[in-house]
Amino acid sequence: MKKILFTAIILITTIGAFAQHKKNTVAAQEGCCSKINTESIEKHHIIMQLSSNDTLVWKGLMNNLKHLKAGWGDSVQIEVVSHGPGIEMLMTAKTTQQKKIAAFKAMGIVFVGCENTLKERNIPRDALIPEAGTVPTGVGEIVLKQEQGWSYIKVGF
């Protein structure tokens, strides 16, 4: 009799614990899937690396920027770092994207070129479009942003 009573108590306790765990799991799942209040969310931070002079890659980048801003608006902070052949997107004489870059800059997106690339290619700073800033080292800027928790995206192929 004692064995049956003891087994029944263990069985009831186990079922109760399982039911409570399931209730907590369902509540947590419902909480994660409910509508997100974007006002309480911190900004997303994205650093994008452009090292291609392919105009199709530039067009793809512009589409990505458009979609990110359309989806997240002011809750996303974006910086595009151009270096190596990618510096051409920021050069007045070579870019096909200046109007879009100007529009994105007005939305808060930052475009910077690598000063090391400028030195290596003998490109004067004033050869860049007025919407572009510079950083001492493009790859170094990417590393610094990643160390600060920014998400990294490599643009192109």
Side-chain angles (χ1 to χ4, degrees):
M1 183 69 177
K2 286 183 181 181
K3 287 183 181 181
I4 294 174
L5 184 58
F6 182 72
T7 303
I9 291 173
I10 290 177
L11 184 61
I12 291 171
T13 306
T14 303
I15 291 171
F18 178 78
Q20 183 63 36
H21 172 73
K22 185 165 177 91
K23 179 181 172 186
N24 290 344
T25 302
V26 169
Q29 288 174 346
E30 289 173 352
C32 81
C33 298
S34 62
K35 188 173 181 181
I36 297 172
N37 178 1
T38 56
E39 293 175 9
S40 65
I41 294 177
E42 291 185 34
K43 279 192 172 189
H44 301 280
H45 304 281
I46 302 172
I47 186 84
M48 301 180 92
Q49 178 183 13
L50 174 66
S51 59
S52 173
N53 61 358
D54 185 334
T55 57
L56 289 176
V57 171
W58 300 351
K59 183 179 177 186
L61 168 62
M62 296 301 132
N63 282 331
N64 286 328
L65 296 175
K66 177 179 72 174
H67 295 302
L68 285 167
K69 288 304 279 184
W72 286 340
D74 290 337
S75 68
V76 63
Q77 183 177 359
I78 303 169
E79 181 175 328
V80 178
V81 177
S82 297
H83 67 97
I87 198 73
E88 291 181 15
M89 189 185 78
L90 301 179
M91 294 177 64
T92 305
K94 298 198 176 194
T95 190
T96 58
Q97 304 297 320
Q98 188 170 0
K99 288 181 183 178
K100 288 183 180 180
I101 290 171
F104 285 128
K105 183 177 180 185
M107 292 182 204
I109 296 176
V110 174
F111 293 85
V112 295
C114 173
E115 291 174 10
N116 283 338
T117 297
L118 296 176
K119 288 176 196 171
E120 181 180 293
R121 294 172 180 242
N122 295 317
I123 300 169
R125 169 64 182 92
D126 63 359
L128 299 182
I129 59 177
E131 296 83 5
T134 61
V135 292
T137 171
V139 174
E141 177 73 0
I142 292 164
V143 169
L144 290 173
K145 295 294 188 190
Q146 286 184 297
E147 289 174 344
Q148 295 169 13
W150 288 50
S151 298
Y152 165 78
I153 298 175
K154 168 77 170 156
V155 178
F157 318 114

